[in-house]
């Protein structure tokens, strides 16, 4: 911990200190050295059950043998190619697979490394396709922290504030519907003047904001507003997509075909791969004859990540993990709801994305820490940091789940 504190970004050291002051307990991290399936082993040899999937990445489990085999096989052949100039064979294959998975008859994809990269590509695509730079985003939304995505992340003002002068200013934040805010009220918070708006960006379920599910019909209403006003609907499926919420694409499951989809996190099965996918009609704007290839990156579509992503997609398909996420997620929610959990106000879920609404940020922080000490990794989340977010690997066993629920009950009962 001393080595970490002496070398990491001070923001993280400060956050740990603040948490320690708030709770009166240690908030030292564990140091991961190994992981497999839903288990993580730390530097002291302790074993944990990971209910975070490492920020939602390990949907198919950590270090799935087929993903590892694909990466090893690729590592023996080719680690790096000439991206957008002379691509690797696996990059082409991944582009084809993503286009085939997309909800449009003809699609095009742009590969990248992080979620923020994919959102950046989506925001640029909307500018290309509509010629308009304004964006509608939502209060509570989280799209990543590089400049483009940060400008449209309503998650917390304090994330944007120091950089405000460097952020794109033409962003309109609308209300997110929920228990106290109806769809109609939300729609009233959309802009009056859409003449400069080229995109509406949403998470079909807000993840980091605390697993906030919009009421049925909301995404559809947004799509209608976009169609009426000549804007594109960007579905940020980086967390929700690829089966996590019980559908390949949560937005499509809601009955809406968006104009652009962003995918990341689970895609590489643990390696950093992301993509912005859209219909051929939308993407055509990038290809006008007078244009250069003006959006690219050295490592975009790298062979190792592409090979891992292909293996991950194949696994999700063959093992029917989308369907499994529905069954496992429902069973998990049932286990959590079987008896009242003291201090839990609500259990929300869609597939294997679950949120436990607690009373306060302090409670969420303390419960998460107490669970860590009992061997379970969970994340506090929420715009008020008062939610426990659970996004376990889809193959987490019944025993791991039941052990967690029992430990959670003990922690909440103060045992
Ligand atoms: C919905 C959503 N979009 C974008 C991102 C940003 O992804 P990354 O951290 O890989 O840039 C995240 C990360 O949590 C996310 O949940």
């Amino acid at each position: 911990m001393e080595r970490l504190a002496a070398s990491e970004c001070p923001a993280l050291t400060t956050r740990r200190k603040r948490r320690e002051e708030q709770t009166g307990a240690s908030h030292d991290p564990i140091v991961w050295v190994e992981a497999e399936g839903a288990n993580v082993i730390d530097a002291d040899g302790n074993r944990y059950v990971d209910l975070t999937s490492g920020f939602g990445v390990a949907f198919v489990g950590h270090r799935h043998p087929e993903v590892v085999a694909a990466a090893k096989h690729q590592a023996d052949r080719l680690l790096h190619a000439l991206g957008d100039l002379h691509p690797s064979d696996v990059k082409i294959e991944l582009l084809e697979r993503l286009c085939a998975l997309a909800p449009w008859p003809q699609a095009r994809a742009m590969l990248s490394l992080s979620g923020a990269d994919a959102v950046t590509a989506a925001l640029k695509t909307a500018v290309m396709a509509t010629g308009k730079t304004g964006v509608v985003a939502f209060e509570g939304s989280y799209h990543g922290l590089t400049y483009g995505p940060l400008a449209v992340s309503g998650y917390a003002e304090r994330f944007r504030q120091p950089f405000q002068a460097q952020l794109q200013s033409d962003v309109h934040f609308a209300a997110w519907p929920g228990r106290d805010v109806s769809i109609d009220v939300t729609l009233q918070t959309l802009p009056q003047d859409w003449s400069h708006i080229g995109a509406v960006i949403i998470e079909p379920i807000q993840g980091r904001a605390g697993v906030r599910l919009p009421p049925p019909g909301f995404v559809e209403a947004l799509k209608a507003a976009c169609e009426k006003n000549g804007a594109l609907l960007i579905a940020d499926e980086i967390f929700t997509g690829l089966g996590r919420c019980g559908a390949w694409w949560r937005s499509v499951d809601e009955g809406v075909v968006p104009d652009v989809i962003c995918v990341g996190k689970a895609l590489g099965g643990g390696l950093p791969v992301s993509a912005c996918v859209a219909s051929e009609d939308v993407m055509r704007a990038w290809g006008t004859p007078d244009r250069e290839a003006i959006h690219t990156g050295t490592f975009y579509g790298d062979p190792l990540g592409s090979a891992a992503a292909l293996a991950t997609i194949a696994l999700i398909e063959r093992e029917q993990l989308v369907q499994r996420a529905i069954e496992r997620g429902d069973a998990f929610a049932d286990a959590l709801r079987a008896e009242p959990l003291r201090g839990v106000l609500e259990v929300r879920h869609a597939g294997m994305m679950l949120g436990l609404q607690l009373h306060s940020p302090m409670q969420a922080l303390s419960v998460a820490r107490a669970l860590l000490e009992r061997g379970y990794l969970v994340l506090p989340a929420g715009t008020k940091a008062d939610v426990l977010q659970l996004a376990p690997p889809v193959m987490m066993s019944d025993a791991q789940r039941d052990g967690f629920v029992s430990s959670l009950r003990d922690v909440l009962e103060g045992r």
Side-chain angles (χ1 to χ4, degrees):
M1 287 313 102
E2 280 164 21
R3 279 167 54 202
L4 183 67
S7 53
E8 71 180 346
C9 169
L12 308 173
T13 329
T14 307
R15 180 177 64 186
R16 271 203 301 283
K17 280 213 185 94
R18 191 175 54 241
R19 288 182 172 176
E20 280 169 12
E21 280 162 19
Q22 282 169 345
T23 61
S26 160
H27 276 267
D28 279 352
I30 61 162
V31 176
W32 296 32
V33 294
E34 212 180 304
E36 186 179 15
N39 277 148
V40 170
I41 312 278
D42 76 4
D44 297 321
N46 299 306
R47 180 183 295 265
Y48 300 84
V49 178
D50 177 20
L51 289 103
T52 75
S53 291
F55 299 129
V57 167
F59 175 63
V60 300
H62 287 286
R63 220 159 49 80
H64 191 286
E66 289 181 28
V67 176
V68 173
K72 279 187 175 161
H73 177 70
Q74 188 58 45
D76 281 339
R77 294 169 64 224
L78 179 74
L79 279 179
H80 183 67
L82 258 181
D84 63 353
L85 203 56
H86 299 294
S88 68
D89 53 352
V90 273
K91 173 184 167 177
I92 298 171
E93 215 181 307
L94 178 58
L95 287 168
E96 287 172 345
R97 287 300 296 118
L98 285 169
C99 289
L101 276 180
W104 310 279
Q106 301 292 327
R108 298 291 181 103
M110 297 161 80
L111 299 176
S112 48
L113 297 172
S114 69
D117 287 344
V119 170
T120 301
L123 293 171
K124 284 187 173 182
T125 297
V127 175
M128 285 288 160
T130 68
K132 297 182 280 186
T133 53
V135 181
V136 173
F138 290 89
E139 169 263 313
S141 60
Y142 187 80
H143 300 291
L145 298 184
T146 52
Y147 278 123
L150 176 60
V152 299
S153 288
Y155 176 69
E157 225 268 303
R158 66 183 187 286
F159 281 41
R160 295 192 307 275
Q161 192 276 325
F163 314 106
Q164 198 65 57
Q166 294 183 349
L167 296 178
Q168 111 104 322
S169 57
D170 196 0
V171 179
H172 178 103
F173 286 107
W176 184 252
R179 196 174 266 174
D180 308 322
V181 188
S182 70
I183 294 184
D184 284 346
V185 167
T186 300
L187 295 180
Q188 284 163 24
T189 67
L190 292 174
Q192 300 288 321
D193 173 12
W194 283 70
S195 58
H196 54 117
I197 301 290
V200 173
I201 183 164
I202 53 152
E203 293 164 81
I205 295 172
Q206 287 192 336
R208 187 163 180 178
V211 189
R212 301 205 295 184
L213 287 79
F218 177 58
V219 189
E220 216 172 324
L222 286 182
K223 174 73 178 163
C226 284
E227 275 175 6
K228 183 168 155 226
N229 295 293
L232 299 190
L233 182 65
I234 301 172
D236 176 350
E237 298 262 9
I238 286 162
F239 202 169
T240 52
L242 296 182
R244 164 65 59 196
C245 292
W248 279 100
W249 312 116
R250 170 73 184 183
S251 50
V252 177
D253 204 35
E254 294 273 282
V256 174
V257 178
D259 298 297
V260 185
I261 289 178
C262 300
V263 55
K265 288 197 188 282
L267 179 59
L271 268 74
V273 194
S274 63
C276 161
V277 196
S279 69
E280 202 162 73
D281 284 348
V282 167
M283 285 291 198
R284 190 167 295 125
W286 283 104
T288 52
D290 57 328
R291 287 219 170 104
E292 251 285 6
I294 55 173
H295 182 75
T296 182
T298 303
F299 290 105
Y300 288 1
D302 75 293
L304 210 53
S306 298
L310 283 166
T312 304
I313 293 170
L315 199 56
I316 296 174
E317 278 185 332
R318 202 192 60 239
E319 302 287 323
Q320 300 184 345
L321 298 184
V322 175
Q323 182 58 33
R324 193 109 72 93
I326 300 176
E327 293 155 13
R328 305 292 301 161
D330 287 349
F332 199 169
D334 286 348
L336 289 164
R337 290 178 182 133
E339 285 172 47
L341 288 164
R342 186 187 288 177
V344 176
L345 303 176
E346 189 180 34
V347 177
R348 299 187 280 270
H349 95 290
M352 287 296 264
M353 186 192 281
L354 302 97
L356 304 181
Q357 181 64 53
L358 305 181
H359 285 285
S360 68
M362 271 293 286
Q363 189 194 6
L365 208 54
S366 305
V367 170
R369 189 68 198 182
L371 284 167
L372 182 76
E373 276 153 22
R374 284 165 172 78
Y376 296 96
L377 277 156
V378 300
L379 283 178
T383 48
K384 299 199 186 98
D386 54 0
V387 176
L388 280 192
Q389 183 195 84
L390 312 175
V394 68
M395 27 56 64
M396 186 178 72
S397 71
D398 288 354
Q400 288 168 328
R401 178 197 66 208
D402 295 343
F404 167 74
V405 175
S406 151
S407 288
L408 174 67
R409 189 155 271 129
D410 285 351
V411 166
L412 292 168
E413 302 275 344
R415 287 198 287 267

